[in-house]
Amino acid sequence: MTARNPNSDQFALLEFKDHITGPQNVLANNWTASTSVCNWIGVSCGILHKRVIALNLTSMNLRGTIPPHLGNLSFLLSLDLSSNHFYGHLPKELGQLHRLRIIRSSYNCLNGEIPSWLGNLQRVQRLKMKNNNFTGTIPETLVNMSNLEILHLGFNQLSGQVPSSIFKISSLKIIDLSSNSLSGSLPSDMCQHLPKLEVLYLHRNELSGNIPLSMDKCNNLKMLALSMNQFTGIIPITIGNLTRLEELDLRLNNLEGQIPEEIGNLLGMEMLIIQAIKGLTGQIPTSIFNISSLKTIDLSNNSLSGSLPSDMCQHLPKLEVLFLHRNELSGTIPSSQIP
């Protein structure tokens, strides 16, 4: 009976309105029982059944909590509350919204733990909850979100290890867990089940151990940021197999050894940043200066030695930033100028 009663959607949204405030009282004046819910600001309805299928309240400067009544919007496909001032916990009743495809709640003040009931929402393709105040660990239940393509949990206060099950969601294209306090090492086979992954942002955490040799199995990777962690060991030569890579940022880790010559295979790369707290040694591979797409090269704060090729700028027509300071480089500064 509830599924046939559009008034259940109206009731849920009116309860939601009572929990929030906003400038000029936009919702208070527009969300009224005297007009169809399908005509309300931020609300979209299905053509046939006139049930609410999307709620888009992004960037409306709204403040308040999210009430459990939203869990009654049983036809909801998309929930976007991003860029507001919502606070408090996400109510468990949202776990009833089994039709949901998109959840956006980034840039708010939500707190508590990442809810384990998110694993019930197996149709969700985009889960964006970055820039909040979430604490605790990432729940293992997220592995049940078998259609997930985008996972944004960056800029929170999450801790503990990254569940290895996350790396088994083969539909994932973007993983952003940056700027938390996540620890532990990455699974050695983390890329075996991620054939579609294009973006991996794990920077600004407390991750340790080696960078997995199997990283090249993520062969669609375009952006790889592992900077500002505690990774140790060498830079694996297999990174040179990531031929679609555009950005590689490994700065401020405890890496050692040399920069592998194979990085010169990354002919589409635009940004290369490699700094090591202990300092990488050896010469800069000349193959790096043949990557004509490069816009930024930052190899500063290492212990790199040797001289620079006299023609190093001949193949770098797009280069805008070149940082090589705090090394042990010698020889003459190349006379050729950057085009």
Side-chain angles (χ1 to χ4, degrees):
M1 292 296 293
T2 302
R4 297 178 183 177
N5 182 12
N7 292 328
S8 65
D9 289 351
Q10 184 187 78
F11 176 78
L13 290 177
L14 288 176
E15 287 291 324
F16 181 39
K17 184 185 74 169
D18 290 343
H19 282 74
I20 58 180
T21 60
Q24 291 87 45
N25 243 357
V26 173
L27 299 189
N29 296 329
N30 183 266
W31 286 21
T32 62
S34 60
T35 58
S36 167
V37 66
C38 299
N39 294 327
W40 291 0
I41 288 175
V43 177
S44 300
C45 291
I47 296 174
L48 295 178
H49 48 64
K50 303 299 181 184
R51 297 294 303 275
V52 175
I53 59 172
L55 186 60
N56 182 1
L57 301 177
T58 184
S59 304
M60 293 185 68
N61 205 20
L62 302 174
R63 183 180 304 274
T65 58
I66 301 172
H69 306 85
L70 281 191
N72 292 330
L73 299 176
S74 54
F75 279 71
L76 200 65
L77 301 177
S78 176
L79 176 63
D80 191 346
L81 305 177
S82 58
S83 300
N84 284 290
H85 306 282
F86 290 110
Y87 56 90
H89 295 200
L90 291 174
K92 65 181 184 300
E93 287 77 8
L94 296 183
Q96 302 167 180
L97 301 176
H98 296 292
R99 289 182 170 89
L100 266 180
R101 304 289 199 280
I102 297 172
I103 301 175
R104 292 191 179 111
S105 63
S106 298
Y107 301 99
N108 279 288
C109 304
L110 298 168
N111 55 33
E113 296 192 347
I114 302 290
S116 60
W117 51 254
L118 284 168
N120 299 334
L121 305 177
Q122 298 179 14
R123 297 182 181 179
V124 168
Q125 298 169 347
R126 300 179 184 183
L127 178 61
K128 297 185 176 184
M129 301 169 64
K130 66 187 298 183
N131 289 79
N132 279 284
N133 297 316
F134 290 115
T135 55
T137 59
I138 300 173
E140 291 272 0
T141 53
L142 295 191
V143 70
N144 296 325
M145 305 179 78
S146 54
N147 291 295
L148 196 62
E149 297 179 1
I150 298 176
L151 176 63
H152 280 183
L153 299 178
F155 289 88
N156 281 288
Q157 300 167 34
L158 302 174
S159 57
Q161 294 196 350
V162 182
S164 59
S165 55
I166 294 288
F167 302 114
K168 295 179 181 177
I169 305 175
S170 60
S171 53
L172 275 168
K173 296 179 179 178
I174 298 175
I175 299 176
D176 183 353
L177 306 178
S178 61
S179 297
N180 282 288
S181 297
L182 299 169
S183 57
S185 58
L186 298 177
S188 59
D189 62 346
M190 62 170 286
C191 282
Q192 297 291 336
H193 308 287
L194 295 172
K196 299 179 181 179
L197 193 67
E198 297 179 4
V199 177
L200 180 60
Y201 286 160
L202 299 177
H203 51 285
R204 289 182 180 270
N205 278 289
E206 300 168 16
L207 299 170
S208 57
N210 293 341
I211 298 174
L213 271 172
S214 64
M215 189 69 73
D216 63 333
K217 301 298 182 185
C218 292
N219 53 16
N220 280 307
L221 209 56
K222 295 180 180 178
M223 316 285 186
L224 177 59
L226 303 178
S227 57
M228 288 170 270
N229 280 287
Q230 298 167 19
F231 288 112
T232 55
I234 63 171
I235 300 172
I237 61 174
T238 51
I239 282 184
N241 296 330
L242 296 172
T243 53
R244 299 190 180 184
L245 206 61
E246 297 174 6
E247 295 184 7
L248 176 61
D249 188 353
L250 302 178
R251 82 184 93 176
L252 298 178
N253 280 287
N254 294 315
L255 300 171
E256 55 190 356
Q258 301 185 359
I259 299 174
E261 185 78 32
E262 287 78 4
I263 283 185
N265 297 334
L266 307 178
L267 298 179
M269 191 158 52
E270 298 179 3
M271 184 183 80
L272 174 64
I273 303 179
I274 302 178
Q275 302 170 357
I277 294 173
K278 294 181 179 179
L280 298 174
T281 58
Q283 295 192 351
I284 301 174
T286 56
S287 58
I288 287 177
F289 300 115
N290 291 325
I291 304 175
S292 61
S293 54
L294 274 169
K295 296 179 181 178
T296 298
I297 300 175
D298 185 352
L299 305 178
S300 61
N301 296 290
N302 285 294
S303 298
L304 300 170
S305 58
S307 59
L308 298 176
S310 59
D311 62 345
M312 61 171 283
C313 290
Q314 296 299 315
H315 307 288
L316 298 171
K318 299 180 180 179
L319 193 65
E320 299 173 357
V321 177
L322 178 61
F323 288 158
L324 300 176
H325 53 281
R326 290 184 178 270
N327 278 289
E328 299 172 13
L329 298 169
S330 57
T332 58
I333 297 173
S335 59
S336 55
Q337 297 181 354
I338 298 174

